[in-house]
Amino acid sequence: MKIAVAGGRDEADFLTGLLLKNKHRLIVINDDRGYCEHLAAKYDKVSVINGDPGSEEILSDAGIRGFDIIIALSGKDADNLEICQMAKRLFSVKKTLCTVRNPRNVEIFKALGVDQVISAAYILAQYIQQPSMADIQQEVKVAPTSEKNEN
């Protein structure tokens, strides 16, 4: 698959390594020149673009048109929404994924067309609300076994 990773630091580095192991074609776009140099030195099979991933010109120069996925990892929710919407609408990227800091943005961003929105707080809240297997087992009522009458 052709995947673009926009923004982020440790997350971008981790995903880049993981996705390369699975033989995906990657482009990483980041506005931090030093970090771009670090990624370019670490991953020789990755195209690393220094620039604002929220810029239409930078996305165009990066050549993401028709990519399978873009993953927006900026620290600002609004920037991630902008990146995903531009990628889908202007560059025909098939799937858009982003992280958000504000868990309330998960449903909003999905309604605005982002395919997958990830919030650590949202995931934790969902996990906490799900009953555990121990809880389920305690709630299951076992019918008493009938004892055989000995006559």
Side-chain angles (χ1 to χ4, degrees), residues 55 58 151:
S55 161
I58 295 296
N151 290 336

Side-chain angles (χ1 to χ4, degrees), residues 2-14:
K2 295 185 290 183
I3 302 171
V5 178
R9 291 192 58 86
D10 294 332
E11 304 95 339
D13 193 351
F14 176 80

Side-chain angles (χ1 to χ4, degrees), residues 53 55-68 70 83-94:
S55 161
E56 181 180 343
E57 182 180 350
I58 295 296
L59 293 178
S60 179
D61 289 349
I64 67 162
R65 181 166 304 286
F67 262 44
D68 297 299
I70 190 163
I83 292 164
C84 288
Q85 288 183 325
M86 266 198 298
K88 187 172 269 192
R89 292 180 183 156
L90 302 178
F91 298 101
S92 303
V93 173
K94 294 174 186 85

Side-chain angles (χ1 to χ4, degrees), residues 33-89:
R33 178 174 297 282
Y35 200 66
C36 286
E37 290 170 0
H38 162 75
L39 291 175
K42 185 173 180 179
Y43 303 109
D44 60 341
K45 295 182 180 180
V46 175
S47 296
V48 179
I49 310 295
N50 178 230
D52 177 7
S55 161
E56 181 180 343
E57 182 180 350
I58 295 296
L59 293 178
S60 179
D61 289 349
I64 67 162
R65 181 166 304 286
F67 262 44
D68 297 299
I69 299 172
I70 190 163
I71 305 168
L73 301 171
S74 163
K76 296 179 182 175
D77 293 0
D79 290 349
N80 287 338
L81 176 62
E82 179 184 21
I83 292 164
C84 288
Q85 288 183 325
M86 266 198 298
K88 187 172 269 192
R89 292 180 183 156

